Amino acid sequence: LIPNKLFGLKFGGMRRENKSEETMDRIVKSIERFFFAHHRSPSITEIASDVGCSRSTIHSYLREMNQ
């Protein structure tokens, strides 16, 4: 796995009661797969498409992970 620092994600501030651990894991794995395949970070739209969530949901998770 790639260190989460590479993507600027921090999990310490995650409020787990509000966010699904499974969805968080799917987002991180999606980012890792995309990065290795395309050698760049995915857009929120690309992550949302891969994970099967709305862009606003992805944005919310990423914001929480980065706090």
Side-chain angles (χ1 to χ4, degrees):
L1 292 176
I2 294 179
N4 292 321
K5 265 184 151 178
L6 179 62
F7 300 112
L9 303 177
K10 303 173 197 167
F11 298 102
M14 195 77 172
R15 290 178 285 171
R16 300 201 193 293
E17 67 275 5
N18 294 334
K19 301 294 181 194
S20 162
E21 192 80 29
E22 178 186 346
T23 302
M24 181 177 67
D25 290 341
R26 287 174 35 220
I27 290 169
V28 171
K29 288 176 182 168
S30 174
I31 293 169
E32 290 173 346
R33 280 192 310 271
F34 189 95
F35 183 82
F36 281 122
H38 302 283
H39 306 286
R40 67 173 178 86
S41 296
S43 68
I44 290 176
T45 302
E46 290 164 330
I47 299 167
S49 176
D50 185 48
V51 173
C53 292
S54 69
R55 292 180 60 216
S56 62
T57 297
I58 299 300
H59 185 266
S60 175
Y61 272 84
L62 293 176
R63 187 175 55 242
E64 287 288 329
M65 288 178 198
N66 201 33
Q67 289 183 351

